[in-house]
Amino acid sequence: MKILKIQTLRGPSYWSIRRHKLVVMRLDLEELAESPSNQIPGFYQGLVGVLPSLIEHFCSPGCRGGFLSRVQEGTMMGHIIEHVALELQELAGMPVGFGRTRETSTPGIYQVVIEYQHEQAGRYAARAAVRICQSIVATGTYSAKELAQDLSDLQNYALDGSLGPSTETLVKEAETRGIPWMELGTRAMIQLGFGVHQKRLQATLSNRTSILGVELASDKEGTKQILRSAGVPVPRGTVISYLDELEEAVQDVGGYPLVIKPLNGNHGRGITIDINTWEAAEAAYDAAKEVSKEVIVERFYAGQDHRVLVINGKVVAVAERVPAHVIGDGRSNISELIEETNRDPRRGDGHNNVLTKIELDRTSWHLLDKKGYTLETVLPLGEICYLRATANLSTGGVAIDRTDDIHPETLWLAQRVVKIIGLDIAGIDIVTPDISKPLREVDGVIVEVNAAPGFRMHVCPSEGIPRNVAEPVIDMLFPSGAPSRVPIVAITGTNGKTTTTRLIAHIFKQTQQIVGYTTTDGTYIGDYLVEPGDNTGPQSAQLILQDPTVEVAVLESARGGILRSGLAFNACDVGVVLNVAADHLGLGDIDTIDQMARVKSVVAEAAMPNGYAVLNADDPLVAEMADHASAQIAYFSMNSANQLIRSHTQKGGLAAVYENGYLSILKGDWTLRIEQAVNVPLTLGGRAPFMIANALAASLAAFAQGVRIEDIRAALVTFEASSKQTPGRMNLFNLGKFHALIDYAHNPHSYEALGGFVRNWTTGERVGVIGGPGDRRDEDFATLGRLSAEIFDRILIKEDDDTRGRDRGDAAQRIHQGIQEIRPDANCEVIHDETAAIQKALDSATPGSLVVILPESVNRAIALIEARNPIQVVAPVVETNGYVKAIAPVNVVETAIAST
């Protein structure tokens, strides 16, 4: 077996709309391709011996018996690898349940799809599953040591990929409210929401958190000073920098008992409490000095350690924190009791678990020495032996919920303290013998105020009621009724995506909103190019959704990005599907037009139930997508008599049609006419049907999102389809004695659309400079040749600079063969170099002719045209008897009249 490729999907995809975390492995089964599992000697027994827990696995509904029954009866190795990969993640503590296995059109090549919780763990599990199955095939088993290592590695990947308990709590609360989120990839920051409505978190710091408040809270002595001056009970203490200052500091705070701790520290590091001797004070100073240059010496106050969590000015949870300890059972020694305590499945390493494992340090030995104990000491039944001086959960402590016990005066004081320090989210550490009584009555004090407090002690206390402390944080960031998303309009299809995307963006600009949009020629925000390139995948979409200025996102979503990574968003408000045609077939294991339609339907199915799927009623493959969409449906059609449109609107549905020369919106019994096609520059005076269809789709998508008809009309009549705005989309140039047209048509569907315009050119010769991307099928090149023979009088065949793995000259030869099938005597010349072919066509152009250039590099082709100084722009075509007769000049330099 051989792994050919592993891809990670992170959003709605070809494989699943609801499950956004999937790994797709392309696998060559080689010699096992023809060997079902029941024909591999000893395989079943070996698999059960290695992973007996597979007995719990079942296949898809309707399958007879469980997974292991299928293995006994005979199933393909790809299917087995799928289940093994899922089970490995389950055993490593990451339960996942979705998987798929499909054979591709290439014999022996399979696609294995598995769900993951953590990306690197999912990819590792896929590879490990192949190793395990290979080993069982070859040897009948897989060593227990290697399996243990695999599970350990998976657990480490899970640990590395985890958000942390506090962040995860906040993210889960956001998810329950339908608020999208994403990791920003720097400083462990999380973005909640999209665009202008986004908020950011770093653990429990929010974008509302005051930097002054954080700095003050980090300065423990400064915090005490400002609180003391406000009449808040705080420990008496001082700050020192050198050991020779310690003796005077002890006297200043009133003598023993003491607390010595670092000025800048966290998680209880370097803190020593209840110090009663000079020797202990010196050791405590040294421990604190390892953490901070300056050291706090404070009076020690007896009592329990409490953490009071205040969010947005309100106390939301209180926990009593008990230091790490063990309780005697009369039989076990202290070492054994620690081991037993650490077996609690809630305990783990670091801060990512509900509880942290107990580990001994300097203070642990000190506490044991004070009691005359060693690790071999057997504790009497019920005796508590403390192993840490501080009560932090990160050092093995436990938490007891006391939210209902706090005295009203202490609650008021905590809320006041947070306002004094200036934090939106804060954890106040209070030492008091009784949290149910006012602090001054029981000699209680506020010890610290902490920015970015941990939530796990409140969410998962060891005892008491769990508190949903994430809820008030999300309430603060997104008050009731506040939006978290910007409108997302996603556009896909075989042809017309870029033009429709640009037009939709132009329509939304009429509403005075800042529009972010992605296209095949770049990523834009407002009127500015942010990043050039073919930016129709998830990375570019995320750039738009992460931008804090964007108010509307219009995202061209191409086939490649959907297959490679899935969509960049969990759902869109409007999903537009323009058409489905035979292009890119044979790539990415998409071999049929029905499979391609399934890829495109991801955009329609990702539209939210209260949003719209905008579908082409004239394309049966697109119209059928309504059956799987959960959103409302809106159809567009070039035929006002389309039966689907009529039936849909009679039921109150929304549609857009081309009727009586108008682009119109239909709903129920009423018709809203937007504008006559002849007044829409994009449609070339109404003579480019494919452009009318694009304009209908764009208008319908905007109308469904609440844009006024007046704004749509203003956009349609002002959309400047120039080579600056829609490069490579039917850009027509007047070069004096002839015209040149640049278009990015590169598949049969777009050739046919282009041909409808070119065939009407009657003033002279029609010359085509044609080619196609090298990664298309052989038959696709032949089809381009046949279509070109029907469109052009003279043809120059060129090739792309990037042949995409095809031998130089092969694509041109296959196009030439297609031309000869239709016109054996066609005036045809092969010039492999694109620049040379374009120059030859322009140099040899005859008066009144039209040179049509279908380039690989649009910018290069435009530059070659502009170097010839086009002096006038084409204006509306003057037509006689339905044919192009002449081009009327307009007194400007250049324009482009249509786009595909």
Side-chain angles (χ1 to χ4, degrees):
M1 288 182 284
K2 183 189 300 180
I3 298 173
L4 303 178
K5 181 191 293 186
I6 294 182
Q7 295 173 275
T8 307
L9 306 182
R10 307 175 188 90
S13 70
Y14 175 76
W15 297 99
S16 177
I17 300 299
R18 294 187 298 110
R19 296 173 180 86
H20 298 168
K21 295 182 175 183
L22 300 175
V23 164
V24 181
M25 177 169 60
R26 197 167 193 264
L27 184 65
D28 185 352
L29 293 183
E30 297 179 321
E31 71 279 359
L32 293 173
E34 303 299 326
S35 301
S37 53
N38 62 341
Q39 295 180 15
I40 303 174
F43 184 83
Y44 173 80
Q45 293 79 5
L47 182 63
V48 173
V50 173
L51 292 171
S53 51
L54 285 171
I55 190 69
E56 303 292 334
H57 280 229
F58 288 85
C59 300
S60 58
C63 287
R64 181 164 53 90
F67 166 67
L68 287 180
S69 297
R70 295 281 302 279
V71 177
Q72 273 188 309
E73 296 167 0
T75 189
M76 298 311 296
M77 189 57 63
H79 181 214
I80 297 170
I81 288 170
E82 169 201 326
H83 280 266
V84 171
L86 294 174
E87 182 61 15
L88 288 174
Q89 294 181 83
E90 181 88 29
L91 293 173
M94 296 170 284
V96 287
F98 178 81
R100 292 286 184 270
T101 301
R102 296 286 184 270
E103 187 174 12
T104 70
S105 60
T106 304
I109 306 296
Y110 283 76
Q111 287 180 300
V112 179
V113 181
I114 61 165
E115 190 177 10
Y116 66 84
Q117 285 190 14
H118 301 288
E119 183 174 316
Q120 292 305 318
R123 296 173 70 93
Y124 183 99
R127 293 192 297 268
V130 173
R131 288 199 306 272
I132 289 171
C133 290
Q134 282 177 320
S135 178
I136 296 173
V137 169
T139 69
T141 188
Y142 186 71
S143 79
K145 182 179 179 181
E146 288 180 297
L147 180 61
Q149 184 63 55
D150 286 334
L151 297 179
S152 175
D153 290 344
L154 282 169
Q155 289 166 346
N156 288 334
Y157 278 125
L159 187 62
D160 292 342
S162 295
L163 293 173
S166 299
T167 305
E168 185 173 359
T169 299
L170 292 165
V171 164
K172 285 183 177 178
E173 178 65 22
E175 287 178 337
T176 63
R177 303 184 187 205
I179 297 173
W181 67 277
M182 64 179 74
E183 296 182 66
L184 293 180
T186 182
R187 301 186 64 82
M189 284 199 296
I190 298 293
Q191 176 179 313
L192 302 180
F194 288 149
V196 72
H197 301 305
Q198 68 180 267
K199 304 294 186 295
R200 291 180 181 174
L201 294 170
Q202 185 185 64
T204 58
L205 293 174
S206 82
N207 56 281
R208 290 176 39 133
T209 303
S210 163
I211 184 62
L212 294 178
V214 172
E215 292 290 336
L216 181 55
S218 299
D219 181 354
K220 301 184 189 305
E221 187 62 20
T223 296
K224 284 196 305 179
Q225 290 176 6
I226 200 168
L227 292 180
R228 184 183 293 115
S229 66
V232 177
V234 294
R236 182 179 175 183
T238 187
V239 178
I240 62 174
S241 300
Y242 303 99
L243 181 61
D244 57 14
E245 299 175 303
L246 179 58
E247 186 174 359
E248 182 179 351
V250 172
Q251 296 174 356
D252 288 345
V253 301
Y256 303 107
L258 301 173
V259 175
I260 296 181
K261 59 185 178 181
L263 178 64
N264 300 306
N266 54 30
H267 299 304
R269 293 181 301 161
I271 297 177
T272 307
I273 68 171
D274 198 12
I275 301 167
N276 289 283
T277 67
W278 174 251
E279 292 76 13
E282 284 186 308
Y285 172 85
D286 291 338
K289 196 71 173 174
E290 291 179 2
V291 177
S292 174
K293 291 182 179 180
E294 295 182 290
V295 173
I296 297 175
V297 181
E298 283 182 348
R299 180 76 178 172
F300 173 72
Y301 290 81
Q304 286 75 49
D305 184 294
H306 297 81
R307 167 60 63 84
V308 179
L309 182 63
V310 183
I311 297 173
N312 201 23
K314 301 293 182 183
V315 170
V316 299
V318 180
E320 177 186 341
R321 299 185 295 179
V322 182
H325 64 277
V326 292
I327 302 175
D329 60 8
R331 302 183 309 276
S332 307
N333 62 35
I334 292 174
S335 179
E336 293 168 337
L337 291 172
I338 293 173
E339 289 181 10
E340 178 63 28
T341 301
N342 283 341
R343 289 193 191 101
D344 185 337
R346 296 176 299 171
R347 290 187 182 269
D349 298 318
H351 313 297
N352 290 324
N353 298 82
V354 174
L355 295 171
T356 301
K357 288 183 177 180
I358 297 173
E359 294 183 1
L360 304 182
D361 72 347
R362 177 188 61 84
T363 60
S364 306
W365 301 115
H366 176 68
L367 291 170
L368 290 173
D369 289 341
K370 284 180 66 174
K371 302 197 73 170
Y373 290 167
T374 70
L375 292 180
E376 303 304 317
T377 300
V378 175
L379 294 180
L381 180 65
E383 180 178 334
I384 298 175
C385 177
Y386 290 100
L387 299 168
R388 285 291 184 123
T390 58
N392 296 72
L393 268 66
S394 58
T395 58
V398 297
I400 303 169
D401 180 66
R402 301 293 189 198
T403 305
D404 297 330
D405 300 332
I406 188 171
H407 190 275
E409 182 179 312
T410 307
L411 185 148
W412 166 81
L413 182 62
Q415 293 176 168
R416 177 171 174 253
V417 163
V418 170
K419 287 185 171 64
I420 292 170
I421 301 302
L423 290 171
D424 59 336
I425 304 171
I428 303 176
D429 292 341
I430 297 177
V431 174
T432 176
D434 190 347
I435 196 68
S436 67
K437 295 180 180 179
L439 296 186
R440 296 190 189 280
E441 287 187 11
V442 292
D443 198 25
V445 289
I446 290 180
V447 178
E448 290 183 5
V449 179
N450 298 278
F455 283 0
R456 65 174 174 163
M457 71 185 77
H458 308 295
V459 175
C460 301
S462 308
E463 298 178 29
I465 302 171
R467 306 289 174 170
N468 183 3
V469 295
E471 181 179 32
V473 175
I474 304 302
D475 285 341
M476 174 182 70
L477 298 177
F478 298 97
S480 178
S484 63
R485 308 169 56 94
V486 296
I488 298 175
V489 181
I491 303 96
T492 195
T494 301
N495 294 303
K497 297 186 296 296
T498 296
T499 299
T500 305
T501 298
R502 284 183 168 277
L503 180 53
I504 292 173
H506 186 65
I507 293 172
F508 274 102
K509 287 178 184 179
Q510 311 306 307
T511 67
Q512 308 306 309
Q513 297 180 90
I514 296 176
V515 184
Y517 57 103
T518 61
T519 72
T520 53
D521 48 65
T523 301
Y524 298 81
I525 296 176
D527 296 325
Y528 300 98
L529 173 66
V530 175
E531 193 171 59
D534 187 350
N535 298 337
T536 58
Q539 186 175 353
S540 303
Q542 283 193 338
L543 184 155
I544 295 298
L545 298 176
Q546 288 176 7
D547 191 278
T549 68
V550 168
E551 296 173 283
V552 179
V554 182
L555 308 174
E556 181 177 343
S557 303
R559 164 210 62 89
I562 296 173
L563 288 173
R564 185 172 59 252
S565 302
L567 296 178
F569 43 86
N570 58 347
C572 57
D573 298 88
V574 180
V576 182
V577 185
L578 298 172
N579 43 61
V580 178
D583 189 24
H584 295 96
L585 297 182
L587 302 177
D589 292 311
I590 302 301
D591 301 304
T592 69
I593 195 167
D594 288 330
Q595 289 176 325
M596 184 61 73
R598 176 72 189 93
V599 175
K600 304 292 186 183
S601 73
V602 171
V603 168
E605 293 180 49
M608 293 183 287
N610 62 345
Y612 276 90
V614 173
L615 306 176
N616 186 348
D618 298 331
D619 187 326
L621 288 172
V622 177
E624 289 173 4
M625 295 177 188
D627 297 338
H628 303 286
S630 59
Q632 303 172 82
I633 303 300
Y635 292 109
F636 65 94
S637 173
M638 289 294 293
N639 178 13
S640 60
N642 183 296
Q643 190 55 47
L644 179 58
I645 294 285
R646 287 189 171 185
S647 173
H648 181 66
T649 55
Q650 285 171 1
K651 297 174 183 176
L654 184 64
V657 298
Y658 181 51
E659 51 87 27
N660 295 317
Y662 281 87
L663 284 74
S664 301
I665 299 289
L666 308 180
K667 188 168 185 180
D669 295 330
W670 51 259
T671 299
L672 277 175
R673 285 182 167 174
I674 306 172
E675 185 57 81
Q676 285 184 289
V678 294
N679 297 328
V680 178
L682 186 66
T683 71
L684 189 55
R687 296 172 181 84
F690 54 95
M691 281 304 169
I692 298 175
N694 291 340
L696 286 172
S699 300
L700 184 57
F703 186 82
Q705 193 52 39
V707 179
R708 301 182 310 153
I709 287 290
E710 292 79 6
D711 290 328
I712 297 173
R713 180 181 300 117
L716 291 180
V717 300
T718 59
F719 186 58
E720 298 177 358
S722 69
S723 60
K724 303 300 182 185
Q725 187 171 3
T726 56
R729 272 71 187 176
M730 290 290 283
N731 303 145
L732 186 61
F733 300 85
N734 187 329
L735 286 150
K737 68 175 184 177
F738 68 96
H739 287 77
L741 176 72
I742 296 177
D743 192 81
Y744 191 59
H746 57 277
N747 58 57
H749 186 266
S750 56
Y751 268 50
E752 289 171 354
L754 174 69
F757 172 76
V758 176
R759 289 188 189 95
N760 285 335
W761 192 274
T762 61
T763 61
E765 186 182 35
R766 295 166 295 191
V767 181
V769 181
I770 68 169
D775 57 1
R776 302 311 196 262
R777 301 172 303 174
D778 293 348
E779 59 263 38
D780 294 332
F781 290 108
T783 300
L784 294 183
R786 287 190 289 270
L787 290 170
S788 299
E790 295 173 346
I791 296 171
F792 301 110
D793 301 316
R794 180 160 60 95
I795 303 171
L796 288 83
I797 306 173
K798 52 84 181 180
E799 285 199 341
D800 292 352
D801 296 341
D802 179 5
T803 62
R804 306 190 187 189
R806 189 176 285 270
D807 291 340
R808 175 66 65 186
D810 184 68
Q813 179 183 356
R814 295 184 187 280
I815 292 174
H816 189 260
Q817 289 172 350
I819 293 170
Q820 289 188 317
E821 289 178 23
I822 302 299
R823 288 169 51 202
D825 58 346
N827 186 349
C828 181
E829 182 179 0
V830 176
I831 303 175
H832 291 157
D833 181 74
E834 180 169 284
T835 298
I838 293 172
Q839 296 285 34
K840 175 70 176 292
L842 296 175
D843 290 341
S844 61
T846 56
S849 64
L850 175 67
V851 177
V852 180
I853 302 166
L854 310 181
E856 174 192 24
S857 173
V858 169
N859 290 337
R860 178 172 60 194
I862 291 174
L864 292 173
I865 296 290
E866 290 181 337
R868 294 173 181 256
N869 298 316
I871 58 173
Q872 290 183 318
V873 178
V874 296
V877 178
V878 178
E879 187 177 275
T880 302
N881 298 324
Y883 290 92
V884 174
K885 181 178 179 182
I887 302 294
V890 178
N891 190 25
V892 286
V893 175
E894 173 200 296
T895 192
I897 57 173
S899 170
T900 60

